[in-house]
Amino acid sequence: EPEVTQTPSHQVTQMGQEVILRCVPISNHLYFYWYRQILGQKVEFLVSFYNNEISEKSEIFDDQFSVERPDGSNFTLKIRSTKLEDSAMYFCASSEPQGEADTGELFFGEGSRLTVL
Amino acid sequence: AQSVTQPDIHITVSEGASLELRCNYSYGATPYLFWYVQSPGQGLQLLLKYFSGDTLVQGIKGFEAEFKRSQSSFNLRKPSVHWSDAAEYFCAVGAPEAAGNKLTFGGGTRVLVKP
């Protein structure tokens, strides 16, 4: 069964360092997302991406964050200068094209745990 | 904008007993509704979803949920809980009219199962 894969599964970094989290969405999906879950808290929407541009972003997704689809398969989240409060589990997700097949379901990866020291 | 409330932060249930997790949403029309489960240190696994049709939906692992428009609710149920059901459960709502499928999640309900 196709799945969303994320790397790394866990990354530890120093405050102020740049971090790139990588995701390989399901191959025929066209919408891509990043969500964040701070330990013990709810899953929060960060950004959605479609047709090589951001379609929606939350207040959390400030200038320190960026997303990119550098090739036909990867979808990345970059945090330019990490802060302690960026420590969280980051989930990538993808969904099918809109249309009759679209049921609104997001397929999530296993997550990348980021620890900022 | 849509929102989701899960009133119960923690629920403890005995193995073999029934379980019901509450979810209330706020949205102007009929939303897409989802329940996800997250085991400790794991990702999000879809249990079930509602997008149209029969308001009682069946999911994996013996779970079911019922969409009640009049109550803006989508409660999750399981008749007999197994120890492996101990996890955190998230209700989520999506907006069919919006471009893309952004989901808004509730705060989650942590389920503990007693032997």
Side-chain angles (χ1 to χ4, degrees), chain B residues 29-72:
Chain B
T30 300
Y32 293 146
L33 294 161
F34 306 83
W35 276 99
Y36 285 86
V37 61
Q38 184 182 33
S39 297
Q42 301 297 310
L44 296 164
Q45 182 183 23
L46 180 70
L47 284 176
L48 48 75
K49 61 190 176 189
Y50 170 82
F51 51 95
S52 67
D54 193 344
T55 56
L56 183 63
V57 293
Q58 302 297 319
I60 62 171
K61 305 184 179 186
F63 284 92
E64 66 176 26
E66 185 171 11
F67 168 55
K68 292 186 177 179
R69 186 192 310 273
S70 61
Q71 298 177 20
S72 297

Side-chain angles (χ1 to χ4, degrees), chain A residues 19-79:
Chain A
V19 161
I20 297 176
L21 305 179
R22 291 182 168 79
C23 170
V24 179
I26 294 174
S27 61
N28 67 326
H29 287 185
L30 297 182
Y31 286 91
F32 314 115
Y33 311 81
W34 284 101
Y35 284 77
R36 179 182 81 175
Q37 185 184 29
I38 294 172
L39 186 64
Q41 298 187 23
K42 68 161 57 173
V43 178
E44 302 173 290
F45 169 77
L46 289 179
V47 66
S48 59
F49 191 87
Y50 171 73
N51 199 25
N52 282 321
E53 61 183 19
I54 291 173
S55 53
E56 187 174 354
K57 60 183 181 180
S58 71
E59 292 177 353
I60 303 168
F61 194 87
D62 61 22
D63 292 345
Q64 292 298 312
F65 291 90
S66 63
V67 289
E68 192 177 31
R69 187 154 165 82
D71 53 41
S73 60
N74 289 285
F75 179 53
T76 62
L77 174 69
K78 181 192 291 186
I79 309 175

